[in-house]
Structures are given as structure tokens and as C-alpha cells.
Amino acid sequence: MPVAAIIGIGSDIGRELASRYAADGWTVWGTFRNRAGLDGVPSSIRLTPCDLTSPHSMAAAVDAFRHEGLAWDVLVIAAGTEEPVGPFWECDEDAWDQGIHVNALAPLRLVRHLYPMRNRSGAPGVAFFSGSGTNNAAPAYSAYCTSKILLIKMCELLDAESTD
């Protein structure tokens, strides 16, 4: 049975993908930041908490996946934030840094640690979501746009560096 690992099942996108994969017979493992977003998540989905602002929480989530003994076929990063919202010059610097961290740096850390647990018999897929603002400037969303562009470039780089 194929395995989908979804970071951010509590988001609308993550919850919908988890439900679709589960309905198609996949084993689904995923993370959530808080239980508020878990309404409607099928009970067959294996869940573990993961706060992308906490290296300890992220490490615990990776350990939880390892403990499950699964090998993922698809790794989806559906977690993120649009915060802070406002002109770059007016955004709190720490909030701006946190936006970059949650949208790009923390997900890349998770990919780095989960990648060795991929299904090596097929061609694993990693998907990041990057919405508006990657082709054109989206005023007031500088941290979001910057982090999503970073992910696009990292996908290109990881594809070039990875044989599978």
C-alpha cells in the first residue's frame, strides 16, 4: 500500500489531500499544529503533532514517522502562513523571519530528515505549495512570497542533486 506523508493536515489543502489519499487506499501519516483543524480528517489517518516554529517538535514528528516504520511515496508540505501581512518596511523583523522560517526553512528541514525514509523502490515525490506572489509581486506579503520563491529554487536544486 503506498504511503502519503502530509505535513500540515490541519490546513484546508492538507486535510483535503489526506482525505483523498485515504479514500484511494493509501496509508496516510500526517502532522498538525493544533487539533482545531482536524475536523473531518478520516480516523484511519495516523496523526502526530508538529509545530514548525519548534525544532524539538519537528524532531519529535520525524521520530514518530520513523517509529511507524513507514516508507513514504509522496511527501506533501501543506503547512504555512501568510504572516506577517503589511509593507516590508513596516513588518516586525522577527515576525518576518518567522514567516520565512515556517514557510521555507522548517519544511526544508523536515524534507532533509524525512528523505532517507522514502520508498526506494519507486520514484518518490515531494510537493510544496506555493501560491500567489511567485511570478508577480504581491504587496504586503513579502515574507510569504520570498519563502515560496526560495522553495521553488530549492525544488530545482534538489531535483538536480537527487537521482530519484
Side-chain angles (χ1 to χ4, degrees):
M1 186 176 321
V3 173
I6 302 175
I7 308 303
I9 282 184
S11 73
D12 292 341
I13 293 170
R15 187 172 44 259
E16 181 64 25
L17 286 172
S19 296
R20 288 182 185 210
Y21 278 117
D24 288 345
W26 288 55
T27 296
V28 180
W29 174 88
T31 69
F32 63 93
R33 185 174 43 117
N34 60 54
R35 293 200 172 272
L38 297 179
D39 290 340
V41 172
S43 61
S44 63
I45 294 175
R46 302 169 186 197
L47 295 168
T48 193
C50 181
D51 181 346
L52 297 183
T53 66
S54 166
H56 175 73
S57 178
M58 291 171 37
V62 170
D63 286 345
F65 185 81
R66 185 178 293 111
H67 181 71
E68 291 277 350
L70 300 171
W72 58 266
D73 298 278
V74 173
L75 173 58
V76 177
I77 310 296
T81 183
E82 292 182 335
E83 298 296 327
V85 178
F88 172 75
W89 307 110
E90 297 172 16
C91 288
D92 176 81
E93 289 178 357
D94 293 333
W96 199 87
D97 290 352
Q98 186 80 339
I100 299 287
H101 177 81
V102 167
N103 285 327
L105 302 177
L108 288 170
R109 180 179 291 228
L110 285 172
V111 169
R112 174 186 286 247
H113 291 285
L114 290 170
Y115 188 72
M117 292 175 255
R118 70 196 181 282
N119 180 351
R120 295 174 189 259
S121 66
V126 177
F128 296 96
F129 283 88
S130 60
S132 63
T134 56
N135 295 321
N136 298 305
Y141 294 92
S142 61
Y144 178 83
C145 294
T146 301
S147 61
K148 297 306 183 172
I149 290 168
L150 185 153
L151 286 178
I152 290 169
K153 289 318 232 180
M154 279 302 297
C155 285
E156 293 172 0
L157 188 113
L158 294 173
D159 188 52
E161 289 182 351
S162 304
T163 59
D164 62 354

